[in-house]
Amino acid sequence: MTILEKERSENARSYAVRVLLYNIVHLELTPGSSVSENELSSALSLSRTPVREALIELNRIGLVEIIPQKGSYVSKINYDIVEESRFLRLVMENAVLKLACEGIDPTYLDALQQNIQQQRQCSETKDNDRMLELDNEFHQLIFQSVNKMWSYHIIREQMVHFDRLRALSAKKGHLDYVIPDHEDILYALKRHDAEMAEMLMTRHLARHRTERQELTEAYPEYFC
């Protein structure tokens, strides 16, 4: 498990949530694996209370299953939940793209271009974890460009289900489409073409469907 550095402004519960989220999304805590309050407390140098609160919070969003008298387990990947989170994300992202196409500030176009360049560097070094982070940052920049960060934070919580599938896809080497897709979306934004942007985003967020059979056959123990 990766132990992240605690930020100054974080309380113990928030820190525990962030570390657990990172490890669950990046599959270092694998779907179906058990998580021990005692072991987590020791690893994070925290008391059991904030760790227990973190597990309850992750249970609320469907990433941890708590079974009385048995323990806590990382939830397996549920394709129905993945598809619902993708649906929510797509509806909101297409609405935001339409706003951005009406008049995005050029500074955000530059920031999106720089983000893509960083993605290319990660692709060359095979840094999949950072690649996934940059992918999320690309989409966050679009929300930020039209002052819709509150909306972004709403969907970000649910995107973690989709992110686990993306991380699993990355393990199988299926990230080649990300950079070309982002380049196409940026092209549509530069042209202020909302119809093209919506078509490209819809395609981008549906890529996982073609990989479903391969992933479930390769990692059957990760899915419910």
Side-chain angles (χ1 to χ4, degrees), residues 2-224:
T2 298
I3 307 300
L4 307 176
E5 186 175 346
K6 190 172 183 293
E7 298 175 355
R8 289 185 179 181
S9 60
E10 275 184 316
N11 58 36
R13 173 188 164 281
S14 297
Y15 173 60
V17 168
R18 185 165 64 89
V19 173
L20 286 169
L21 263 178
Y22 178 92
N23 284 279
I24 290 172
V25 167
H26 289 85
L27 304 175
E28 295 191 35
L29 290 174
T30 57
S33 63
S34 63
V35 284
S36 162
E37 283 186 19
N38 288 333
E39 291 177 4
L40 290 172
S41 297
S42 177
L44 299 176
S45 300
L46 298 174
S47 67
R48 289 182 60 183
T49 298
V51 170
R52 186 180 304 114
E53 291 173 346
L55 291 173
I56 291 172
E57 174 65 16
L58 295 177
N59 171 258
R60 183 184 68 80
I61 62 174
L63 286 179
V64 168
E65 184 178 5
I66 299 174
I67 303 177
Q69 311 305 320
K70 290 192 66 176
S72 300
Y73 300 84
V74 178
S75 299
K76 292 189 176 184
I77 298 172
N78 184 319
Y79 253 105
D80 289 337
I81 295 177
V82 169
E83 183 57 31
E84 280 208 47
S85 66
R86 185 202 69 87
F87 170 79
L88 175 63
R89 176 177 174 179
L90 180 60
V91 169
M92 295 190 71
E93 290 221 27
N94 279 340
V96 166
L97 271 175
K98 184 176 180 180
L99 292 174
C101 284
E102 291 174 0
I104 187 171
D105 191 296
T107 58
Y108 283 102
L109 295 176
D110 292 340
L112 289 166
Q113 190 66 65
Q114 291 172 12
N115 175 278
I116 291 174
Q117 182 56 40
Q118 291 176 349
Q119 290 178 43
R120 290 196 188 96
Q121 294 170 358
C122 287
S123 179
E124 292 172 359
T125 59
K126 308 297 183 185
D127 188 347
N128 289 337
D129 287 349
R130 179 57 180 151
M131 183 71 171
L132 292 172
E133 291 174 3
L134 286 167
D135 187 352
N136 286 336
E137 289 173 15
F138 179 90
H139 294 268
Q140 179 179 330
L141 280 167
I142 298 174
F143 278 80
Q144 193 174 346
S145 73
V146 293
N147 196 28
K148 291 291 181 284
M149 284 304 294
W150 188 76
S151 298
Y152 178 79
H153 290 307
I154 289 176
I155 66 167
R156 187 74 195 95
E157 184 177 272
Q158 296 305 317
M159 279 163 53
V160 292
H161 296 282
F162 195 49
D163 287 347
R164 284 205 295 172
L165 194 65
R166 290 166 56 230
L168 194 58
S169 180
K171 288 182 67 173
K172 295 293 289 182
H174 297 313
L175 286 180
D176 292 345
Y177 67 86
V178 174
I179 294 174
D181 279 6
H182 286 172
E183 289 176 329
D184 289 345
I185 292 167
L186 179 56
Y187 174 76
L189 282 170
K190 289 178 177 178
R191 288 175 55 88
H192 306 288
D193 189 331
E195 185 176 348
M196 179 190 292
E198 180 177 350
M199 181 273 291
L200 293 169
M201 184 64 75
T202 301
R203 183 188 66 178
H204 179 60
L205 294 182
R207 297 281 195 182
H208 72 285
R209 290 176 174 173
T210 62
E211 303 162 2
R212 177 172 181 171
Q213 183 174 350
E214 179 182 356
L215 294 178
T216 53
E217 288 178 354
Y219 305 97
E221 70 279 11
Y222 287 0
F223 294 88
C224 59

